[in-house]
Amino acid sequence: MPLTDDQQREIDAVRAGRAETARPTVPALEALLARALPVLDHGFVRVVDYMGDDAAVVQAARVSYGRGTKRVSEDAGLIRYLMRHRHSTPFEMCEIKFHVKLPIFVARQWIRHRTANVNEYSARYSVMDREFYIPDAAHLAAQSATNRQGRGDVLGPDEAAEVLRTLRDDAARCHDHYLAMLNEDEAGQPRDPSRAGLARELARMNLTLNTYTQWYWKTDLHNLLGFLALRADAHAQYEIRAYAEAMLGVLDAWVPLTAAAFRDYRLGAVTLSAPMLAVVRRMLAGEAVAPRDSGLSSREWAELQAALTGG
Amino acid sequence: MPLTDDQQREIDAVRAGRAETARPTVPALEALLARALPVLDHGFVRVVDYMGDDAAVVQAARVSYGRGTKRVSEDAGLIRYLMRHRHSTPFEMCEIKFHVKLPIFVARQWIRHRTANVNEYSARYSVMDREFYIPDAAHLAAQSATNRQGRGDVLGPDEAAEVLRTLRDDAARCHDHYLAMLNEDEAGQPRDPSRAGLARELARMNLTLNTYTQWYWKTDLHNLLGFLALRADAHAQYEIRAYAEAMLGVLDAWVPLTAAAFRDYRLGAVTLSAPMLAVVRRMLAGEAVAPRDSGLSSREWAELQAALTGG
Amino acid sequence: MPLTDDQQREIDAVRAGRAETARPTVPALEALLARALPVLDHGFVRVVDYMGDDAAVVQAARVSYGRGTKRVSEDAGLIRYLMRHRHSTPFEMCEIKFHVKLPIFVARQWIRHRTANVNEYSARYSVMDREFYIPDAAHLAAQSATNRQGRGDVLGPDEAAEVLRTLRDDAARCHDHYLAMLNEDEAGQPRDPSRAGLARELARMNLTLNTYTQWYWKTDLHNLLGFLALRADAHAQYEIRAYAEAMLGVLDAWVPLTAAAFRDYRLGAVTLSAPMLAVVRRMLAGEAVAPRDSGLSSREWAELQAALTGG
Amino acid sequence: MPLTDDQQREIDAVRAGRAETARPTVPALEALLARALPVLDHGFVRVVDYMGDDAAVVQAARVSYGRGTKRVSEDAGLIRYLMRHRHSTPFEMCEIKFHVKLPIFVARQWIRHRTANVNEYSARYSVMDREFYIPDAAHLAAQSATNRQGRGDVLGPDEAAEVLRTLRDDAARCHDHYLAMLNEDEAGQPRDPSRAGLARELARMNLTLNTYTQWYWKTDLHNLLGFLALRADAHAQYEIRAYAEAMLGVLDAWVPLTAAAFRDYRLGAVTLSAPMLAVVRRMLAGEAVAPRDSGLSSREWAELQAALTGG
């Protein structure tokens, strides 16, 4: 995860700069402000700034519910209650801003979370760096036979080697040609004075989707939880999940009570439909319910079994 | 602007609490964190928390435009450029959270700004305080004869006195009856043990629209500017403008470069339509354009004159 | 539910106007376009326009999942799958627009759903009609003793009669004074030529929160379901639930497959947290789990019991 | 612009299907429902559905402004007034849904417009077609010397030919290798039974950014105008502008009054800052203002000159 000189200077400045503030401050998260957490082969996640903490969630809830919240004596209990009942607005009162370096195909999934603020490095203005995501062989999986969007077994060593060679060669060749079309060297000077050089906004179309980009991404705690619930899930593509898992670590440092409630009531929770509930009630009454008598489709039956056995 | 004991305790705690942070910090805004700025007769605006500063806007713009921004040598110039060309995303990288106490009819206008986070005091859970907005006589204006949504001349002293008496009496009587229907005293105990007391969520419907409510309101700098552009404008109703003007003072303290650019390029700017521009070009060529030859409607002609004369 | 003459003319025009279209059309919903469905004592909900149908949800899902959706042979099955797994974007492809007449205190809850488009009748421009919500005696409930936001038993006849008298008198008196301060008759002419009349934007503050307002409200199907999940729920205040229930009927007419899936997987569903799931697994294994051994708080234990017994 | 068989069948079904509706209907737009408008070499824009028309904008404005709007006697005048004063909510009352086929690098710009609903073809589920955007030689421009994000002169024929060859070869080779890594033929069957085939969600990273994707994109009229104001502008990249221009044609057919007002008050309008206005006032008073006495930066001076001369 090579940082550019500019990025390293920015981080060094953060590490050096200290100021006094009357704002809510989280020491465990302060410690992460000057650290780029590595993700994948060249990517990273870094917390740039934050607003609020667990107490800010509680403070907002107490404004809304006023005297009513006096009955919930502890912050942890109130946060768990809010999380369980999907009272989302108090969680919107905290905000976090990340600097993220990520492959373009991951950025394309990520950007679908619309309630966020984004400033992405622009290939209309600047030349893209020569960095591509090349998976570990351990993550080179075959298409799943049972799940249209999933991965199956890991590829054998020969097939994996060939895939890796292809990914590397194609990304590198496309980037070489990108620079050649630009006719620009690293310092932005023309390489061949007899050529005009293609506009950056056009040349970029020759890059492959595993090229790394970067952005500042800012969102509130409620929407961050929504992102993590989807992207730290086992059904998410491994590559975006790797980012979500790094961000889960940030969540633990930032808002530990919220993070614990999130794990219990969102990540580890299961929603049972009305027909599923009916089956569970029959089971609890001692009945041995067979799939065909359950009133569930075979897919729903399988989902219920997975929920009840933790599978 | 009476603060409740709880609110005063919260502010005192802010004033007492100091922590070290590596985040961008704005001393001029820190000074405002422990102060409720009075607005109208019982309202206030208080900054609860903030994220970012002018440099954070610049930082985000430089990520987007990369090497391209090196040509704009100064932060002030870059911020002015972004403001002038409505490049809004870098301004989304700053965030601010206010505690606001305001009359319900003002809250109803304010809430139409949807890109914000809100936690309002809930009259389902808690009893509403006995505080109403009663205008200064100087703000008791007649309906404008020329503008369907505006105010005209100030009322004469007799009519004003009667209006004020009416507003005071009706608000007070409605609140008295509200408490009577609740059958609840200040401590939440039944006043008349023989009565059940109406549910709070129902009793509130008897309150008048000048009753004060309060909320936490959080938004990003871009959307704050949008709010201020509409609500600090001369066409805004005086009562919400009073809040916007207090918040403009906060803006000056928080992000002085952005605030200056905002005054030049948004608050003090005028948009000329294609037909208006055509008229200005003829004028600059020395032609004395008459309204009837301008191709503008009489309303547009008046708007153009106002723009060109600063009227 | 008296419609104004203008509203009746608009509805008559809809009933009369017929055009041919190549757009997806739902006959059962067309039948509702010219009908104002009564809600509460003077309110209504009317469908003004709509876009899409169940097939439009399926169409969008098939664009996203491409060949993958061929395995789900039927539209109903696909819609149920999307609903169960919270794949929300295909439901965003349908849109509906309502004309709603509702008390202001209900409008204040409703407007918190931010992902919607709203045009509300403006009391800055126009005079508010003399219509207030006065509950049926059957809905005049006491504050719940166990739930800070809920209702308990219905009030006794004497207390109810007094509450109704108070609500009627205060609303009427406040509106009388509102008109007097405006010094305006129904036709917008001055009532007393010697008086100026208070600006409408100020006079409105004297109205009570049960005064009726109206608006056009437009949202997509996904956000409509979110609204209905919260507002048709037993925990919602009765008055907004009355609107949600009328709109559930509209949903059934518009997108019957989606509506059926919504009832099974959202309205009738229960989310079990990780600790609750652990208890259910122990129960299914035959263990008689006692509350104190469950690892659940007493509140969570009660919620689990309610889920498992359908209470 | 080759349509797939499925897409052609869908369009044929639209052309064949006719229903009666009481909804607002726009014959000129109905005529476009069954037509894919070609954009770039393989792309298209097609209207899938719409809600509302110019009259729906007027209807919503009249609800808001009530009796106040009676003074604006004509719909066209009211729409022009709303557009000039940025009263945006009535325009949110119309909605439109497009099916768009576009290169990925264009999709990446487009998706930044967050207030829209999107369902994109998913390369996790399905295999991407072998179609790439290759510019016309006439659009192969050099990087602008004066504008960091713009294009300058068209490339000479030799350089252009080499660029086109590179773009074609690299895109084709990357797609060939993509299919090879998938080990899947067009029918989704394994090509080489001895290989597992890489998961689709991984193989896609080898594709170049000019590969075509497609999506359903739905937004309201207000946000469509915001999209067009930015993307039909001369500063927008040619490739996305080509889509915006096709959509401007749709706008003319759909809401002709709104479209005309949009051209006058948005596309053809210029915003003058406070310092620019001061200069214009001096000029109109007969003063020959020199750049150095203007109080404007050289960049602002140039922008003002451009505005006043139509340059």
Side-chain angles (χ1 to χ4, degrees):
Chain A
M1 179 208 51
L3 292 166
T4 64
D5 292 349
D6 279 358
Q7 288 165 358
Q8 192 56 57
R9 261 193 300 277
E10 187 183 323
I11 287 179
D12 292 344
V14 169
R15 203 171 272 137
R18 289 279 146 185
E20 226 188 27
T21 187
R23 292 174 290 169
T25 301
V26 182
L29 192 58
E30 293 281 331
L32 291 175
L33 288 179
R35 288 185 48 201
L37 308 172
V39 183
L40 303 180
D41 51 353
H42 300 295
F44 63 78
V45 165
R46 182 170 69 87
V47 181
V48 174
D49 205 345
Y50 68 95
M51 170 195 278
D53 55 8
D54 276 326
V57 175
V58 169
Q59 178 189 51
R62 292 200 196 276
V63 165
S64 283
Y65 309 134
R67 299 170 191 164
T69 53
K70 289 191 181 153
R71 295 170 69 179
V72 181
S73 54
E74 295 174 57
D75 289 2
L78 179 53
I79 284 176
R80 294 178 77 80
Y81 176 86
L82 297 172
M83 185 74 70
R84 199 159 72 244
H85 292 279
R86 300 277 183 128
H87 289 214
S88 54
T89 57
F91 296 105
E92 296 178 15
M93 287 290 146
C94 298
E95 192 88 12
I96 193 161
K97 179 163 55 175
F98 293 100
H99 183 185
V100 188
K101 187 173 158 194
L102 70 179
I104 290 174
F105 73 93
V106 174
R108 298 229 309 132
Q109 293 186 315
W110 193 310
I111 199 74
R112 297 305 317 282
H113 296 262
R114 287 162 289 184
T115 310
N117 311 113
V118 187
N119 278 281
E120 184 174 356
Y121 186 84
S122 169
R124 290 187 79 192
Y125 290 81
S126 302
V127 178
M128 297 292 280
D129 288 331
R130 199 175 190 285
E131 288 185 311
F132 328 109
Y133 169 60
I134 305 294
D136 274 357
H139 293 123
L140 282 186
Q143 182 67 29
S144 164
T146 58
N147 183 337
R148 296 294 297 182
Q149 68 170 306
R151 298 186 188 179
D153 297 333
V154 171
L155 298 186
D158 292 352
E159 192 171 352
E162 194 176 324
V163 162
L164 292 177
R165 193 163 48 240
T166 300
L167 291 175
R168 267 193 212 102
D169 288 356
D170 283 356
R173 184 189 304 103
C174 283
H175 197 275
D176 288 344
H177 290 166
Y178 163 72
L179 291 176
M181 289 190 286
L182 288 178
N183 191 37
E184 204 173 313
D185 66 18
E186 300 264 306
Q189 298 305 312
R191 304 208 288 193
D192 173 351
S194 74
R195 300 171 64 101
L198 186 63
R200 283 188 281 273
E201 68 180 26
L202 283 168
R204 64 170 159 174
M205 80 174 76
N206 203 58
L207 297 172
T208 50
L209 283 160
N210 56 349
T211 306
Y212 272 92
T213 182
Q214 48 183 293
W215 62 31
Y216 274 49
W217 188 76
K218 169 174 157 288
T219 197
D220 63 56
L221 176 53
H222 167 64
N223 281 286
L224 177 64
L225 298 180
F227 178 89
L228 295 177
L230 274 177
R231 304 306 184 178
D233 184 89
H235 293 90
Q237 180 164 352
Y238 163 74
E239 281 73 22
I240 196 165
R241 206 166 67 229
Y243 287 87
E245 281 166 5
M247 292 158 82
L248 261 179
V250 170
L251 189 78
D252 289 330
W254 180 25
V255 283
L257 299 180
T258 297
F262 175 67
R263 289 175 193 276
D264 274 353
Y265 297 118
R266 295 284 296 276
L267 284 190
V270 167
T271 297
L272 300 184
S273 66
M276 285 175 176
L277 261 179
V279 171
V280 171
R281 286 174 194 151
R282 288 164 60 194
M283 287 172 164
L284 286 172
E287 187 181 345
V289 183
R292 90 187 81 84
D293 302 328
S294 68
L296 303 179
S297 70
S298 58
R299 195 194 284 263
E300 283 180 83
W301 177 262
E303 289 173 13
L304 178 60
Q305 294 308 310
L308 296 181
T309 61
Chain B
M1 179 208 53
L3 291 166
T4 64
D5 292 348
D6 279 359
Q7 287 165 359
Q8 191 57 57
R9 262 193 298 278
E10 187 182 324
I11 288 180
D12 291 345
V14 169
R15 204 172 269 138
R18 291 279 146 184
E20 227 189 24
T21 186
R23 292 173 289 168
T25 301
V26 182
L29 192 57
E30 292 281 331
L32 291 175
L33 287 179
R35 288 185 49 202
L37 308 171
V39 183
L40 303 181
D41 52 351
H42 300 296
F44 63 76
V45 164
R46 183 171 67 88
V47 181
V48 175
D49 205 346
Y50 68 94
M51 171 196 277
D53 55 8
D54 277 326
V57 175
V58 169
Q59 178 189 52
R62 292 200 196 277
V63 165
S64 283
Y65 310 135
R67 299 168 193 167
T69 53
K70 288 192 182 151
R71 296 170 69 181
V72 181
S73 54
E74 295 172 58
D75 288 1
L78 179 54
I79 283 177
R80 293 178 78 79
Y81 175 87
L82 296 171
M83 186 74 70
R84 201 159 69 247
H85 292 278
R86 301 276 183 127
H87 288 214
S88 55
T89 56
F91 297 104
E92 296 178 14
M93 286 290 147
C94 297
E95 192 89 10
I96 193 160
K97 179 163 54 175
F98 293 101
H99 183 186
V100 189
K101 186 173 158 195
L102 71 177
I104 290 174
F105 73 94
V106 174
R108 297 229 308 133
Q109 293 185 314
W110 192 312
I111 199 75
R112 299 305 317 283
H113 297 263
R114 287 162 289 186
T115 311
N117 311 112
V118 186
N119 277 282
E120 184 174 356
Y121 187 84
S122 169
R124 291 187 78 191
Y125 290 83
S126 301
V127 178
M128 297 293 280
D129 289 330
R130 201 176 188 282
E131 286 186 312
F132 327 110
Y133 169 59
I134 306 294
D136 273 356
H139 292 123
L140 281 187
Q143 181 67 28
S144 165
T146 57
N147 183 335
R148 298 292 299 181
Q149 67 169 306
R151 298 187 188 178
D153 297 332
V154 172
L155 297 187
D158 292 351
E159 191 171 352
E162 194 177 324
V163 161
L164 292 177
R165 195 164 46 240
T166 301
L167 292 174
R168 268 193 211 102
D169 286 356
D170 283 357
R173 185 189 302 105
C174 284
H175 196 275
D176 288 344
H177 292 166
Y178 163 72
L179 291 177
M181 289 190 287
L182 287 178
N183 191 37
E184 204 172 312
D185 65 18
E186 300 265 306
Q189 297 306 312
R191 303 207 289 192
D192 173 351
S194 74
R195 299 172 63 101
L198 186 62
R200 284 188 280 272
E201 68 180 26
L202 284 168
R204 61 169 162 176
M205 80 174 75
N206 203 58
L207 298 172
T208 50
L209 283 161
N210 55 349
T211 306
Y212 273 92
T213 182
Q214 48 185 291
W215 61 31
Y216 275 50
W217 188 76
K218 169 174 158 286
T219 196
D220 63 57
L221 176 54
H222 167 65
N223 281 288
L224 177 64
L225 297 180
F227 178 88
L228 295 177
L230 274 176
R231 303 307 183 178
D233 184 89
H235 293 91
Q237 179 164 352
Y238 163 76
E239 281 73 21
I240 197 167
R241 205 167 67 230
Y243 287 87
E245 281 165 6
M247 291 157 82
L248 261 179
V250 170
L251 189 77
D252 289 330
W254 180 26
V255 282
L257 299 179
T258 297
F262 175 66
R263 290 177 193 274
D264 275 353
Y265 299 118
R266 294 284 297 276
L267 284 190
V270 167
T271 297
L272 300 184
S273 67
M276 286 176 175
L277 261 179
V279 170
V280 171
R281 285 175 194 149
R282 286 163 62 193
M283 287 172 165
L284 286 172
E287 187 181 344
V289 183
R292 90 188 81 83
D293 302 328
S294 70
L296 303 179
S297 71
S298 58
R299 195 194 282 264
E300 282 180 83
W301 176 263
E303 288 172 15
L304 178 59
Q305 294 309 307
L308 296 182
T309 62
Chain C
M1 180 207 54
L3 292 166
T4 64
D5 291 350
D6 279 359
Q7 287 164 359
Q8 192 57 56
R9 262 194 299 277
E10 187 183 323
I11 287 179
D12 291 345
V14 169
R15 204 172 270 137
R18 290 280 145 185
E20 226 188 27
T21 186
R23 292 173 291 169
T25 301
V26 181
L29 192 58
E30 293 280 332
L32 290 176
L33 287 179
R35 287 186 48 202
L37 308 171
V39 183
L40 303 181
D41 52 350
H42 300 294
F44 63 78
V45 165
R46 182 171 67 88
V47 180
V48 175
D49 205 346
Y50 68 95
M51 171 197 277
D53 55 8
D54 276 326
V57 175
V58 169
Q59 178 189 50
R62 292 201 196 276
V63 166
S64 283
Y65 311 135
R67 300 169 191 163
T69 53
K70 290 192 181 153
R71 295 169 69 180
V72 181
S73 53
E74 294 173 59
D75 288 1
L78 179 54
I79 283 176
R80 293 179 77 80
Y81 175 87
L82 297 172
M83 185 74 70
R84 199 158 71 244
H85 291 278
R86 300 277 184 128
H87 289 214
S88 55
T89 57
F91 296 105
E92 295 178 16
M93 286 290 146
C94 297
E95 192 88 11
I96 193 160
K97 178 163 54 175
F98 293 100
H99 183 185
V100 188
K101 187 172 157 197
L102 72 177
I104 290 174
F105 73 94
V106 174
R108 298 229 307 134
Q109 293 186 315
W110 193 310
I111 199 73
R112 298 305 316 281
H113 296 262
R114 287 163 290 185
T115 310
N117 312 111
V118 186
N119 277 282
E120 184 175 356
Y121 186 83
S122 169
R124 291 187 78 191
Y125 291 82
S126 302
V127 178
M128 297 292 281
D129 289 331
R130 200 176 189 285
E131 286 185 313
F132 328 109
Y133 168 59
I134 306 294
D136 273 357
H139 293 123
L140 281 186
Q143 182 68 27
S144 165
T146 57
N147 183 337
R148 296 292 299 180
Q149 68 170 304
R151 298 188 188 179
D153 296 332
V154 172
L155 298 186
D158 292 351
E159 192 172 352
E162 194 177 324
V163 161
L164 291 177
R165 195 164 46 240
T166 300
L167 291 174
R168 268 192 211 101
D169 287 355
D170 283 356
R173 185 188 305 104
C174 284
H175 196 274
D176 288 344
H177 291 165
Y178 163 73
L179 290 176
M181 289 189 286
L182 287 178
N183 190 37
E184 206 174 312
D185 65 17
E186 300 264 307
Q189 296 307 310
R191 304 208 287 193
D192 174 350
S194 73
R195 298 172 65 101
L198 186 64
R200 285 188 279 273
E201 69 180 25
L202 284 168
R204 63 169 160 175
M205 80 174 76
N206 203 57
L207 298 172
T208 50
L209 282 160
N210 55 350
T211 306
Y212 273 93
T213 182
Q214 47 185 293
W215 61 31
Y216 275 49
W217 188 76
K218 168 174 158 287
T219 197
D220 63 56
L221 177 53
H222 167 64
N223 281 285
L224 177 65
L225 297 179
F227 178 88
L228 295 176
L230 274 177
R231 304 306 183 177
D233 184 88
H235 292 90
Q237 180 163 352
Y238 163 74
E239 281 74 22
I240 198 167
R241 204 167 69 228
Y243 287 87
E245 280 166 6
M247 291 157 82
L248 262 179
V250 170
L251 190 78
D252 289 331
W254 181 24
V255 282
L257 298 179
T258 297
F262 175 68
R263 290 176 192 276
D264 275 352
Y265 298 119
R266 294 285 297 277
L267 284 191
V270 166
T271 297
L272 300 183
S273 66
M276 285 176 176
L277 260 179
V279 171
V280 171
R281 285 174 195 150
R282 287 163 62 193
M283 286 173 163
L284 287 173
E287 187 181 345
V289 183
R292 89 186 81 83
D293 302 329
S294 68
L296 303 180
S297 70
S298 58
R299 197 194 282 265
E300 283 181 84
W301 176 262
E303 288 173 13
L304 178 61
Q305 294 308 308
L308 296 182
T309 62
Chain D
M1 180 207 52
L3 291 166
T4 64
D5 290 349
D6 278 358
Q7 288 165 357
Q8 192 56 57
R9 261 193 299 276
E10 188 183 321
I11 288 179
D12 291 346
V14 169
R15 203 173 270 137
R18 291 279 146 185
E20 227 187 27
T21 186
R23 292 173 291 169
T25 301
V26 182
L29 192 57
E30 293 281 333
L32 291 175
L33 287 179
R35 288 184 47 202
L37 309 171
V39 184
L40 303 181
D41 53 350
H42 300 296
F44 64 77
V45 165
R46 182 170 69 87
V47 181
V48 174
D49 205 346
Y50 68 95
M51 171 196 278
D53 55 9
D54 276 325
V57 175
V58 169
Q59 177 190 51
R62 293 200 195 276
V63 166
S64 283
Y65 310 135
R67 300 169 192 164
T69 54
K70 287 192 181 152
R71 295 171 70 182
V72 182
S73 54
E74 294 174 59
D75 288 2
L78 180 54
I79 284 176
R80 293 178 79 78
Y81 175 87
L82 297 172
M83 186 73 71
R84 199 158 71 246
H85 293 278
R86 299 276 184 129
H87 289 214
S88 54
T89 56
F91 296 106
E92 296 178 15
M93 286 290 147
C94 296
E95 192 88 11
I96 193 160
K97 179 162 56 175
F98 293 101
H99 183 186
V100 188
K101 186 173 159 195
L102 71 178
I104 290 174
F105 72 95
V106 174
R108 297 231 306 134
Q109 293 185 315
W110 192 312
I111 199 75
R112 298 305 317 280
H113 296 261
R114 286 162 290 184
T115 310
N117 312 111
V118 186
N119 278 282
E120 184 174 356
Y121 187 84
S122 169
R124 291 187 79 191
Y125 290 81
S126 301
V127 177
M128 298 293 280
D129 289 331
R130 201 174 188 286
E131 286 185 310
F132 328 109
Y133 168 59
I134 306 295
D136 273 356
H139 293 122
L140 282 185
Q143 182 68 27
S144 164
T146 58
N147 183 335
R148 297 293 299 182
Q149 67 170 305
R151 299 187 187 179
D153 297 331
V154 171
L155 298 186
D158 291 354
E159 192 172 351
E162 194 176 323
V163 162
L164 292 177
R165 192 163 49 241
T166 300
L167 291 174
R168 268 193 212 102
D169 286 357
D170 283 357
R173 186 189 303 103
C174 284
H175 196 275
D176 288 345
H177 291 165
Y178 163 73
L179 292 176
M181 288 190 287
L182 288 177
N183 190 38
E184 205 173 311
D185 66 19
E186 300 265 307
Q189 297 306 312
R191 303 208 286 194
D192 172 352
S194 75
R195 299 171 65 101
L198 186 63
R200 284 187 281 272
E201 67 180 25
L202 283 168
R204 61 169 162 175
M205 79 174 77
N206 203 58
L207 298 173
T208 50
L209 282 160
N210 56 349
T211 307
Y212 273 93
T213 182
Q214 49 185 292
W215 61 30
Y216 275 49
W217 188 76
K218 168 173 158 288
T219 196
D220 63 57
L221 177 53
H222 166 65
N223 281 287
L224 178 64
L225 297 180
F227 178 89
L228 295 177
L230 275 176
R231 304 307 183 178
D233 184 88
H235 293 91
Q237 180 164 353
Y238 162 75
E239 280 73 20
I240 197 166
R241 205 166 67 230
Y243 286 88
E245 281 165 5
M247 291 157 82
L248 262 178
V250 170
L251 189 78
D252 289 330
W254 180 25
V255 282
L257 298 179
T258 297
F262 174 67
R263 290 176 192 275
D264 275 354
Y265 298 118
R266 294 284 297 276
L267 283 191
V270 166
T271 297
L272 300 184
S273 67
M276 285 176 175
L277 261 179
V279 170
V280 170
R281 286 174 194 151
R282 287 163 63 194
M283 287 173 164
L284 286 172
E287 188 181 344
V289 184
R292 89 187 79 85
D293 302 328
S294 68
L296 302 179
S297 71
S298 57
R299 195 193 283 264
E300 283 180 83
W301 177 263
E303 289 172 14
L304 178 60
Q305 294 308 308
L308 296 182
T309 61

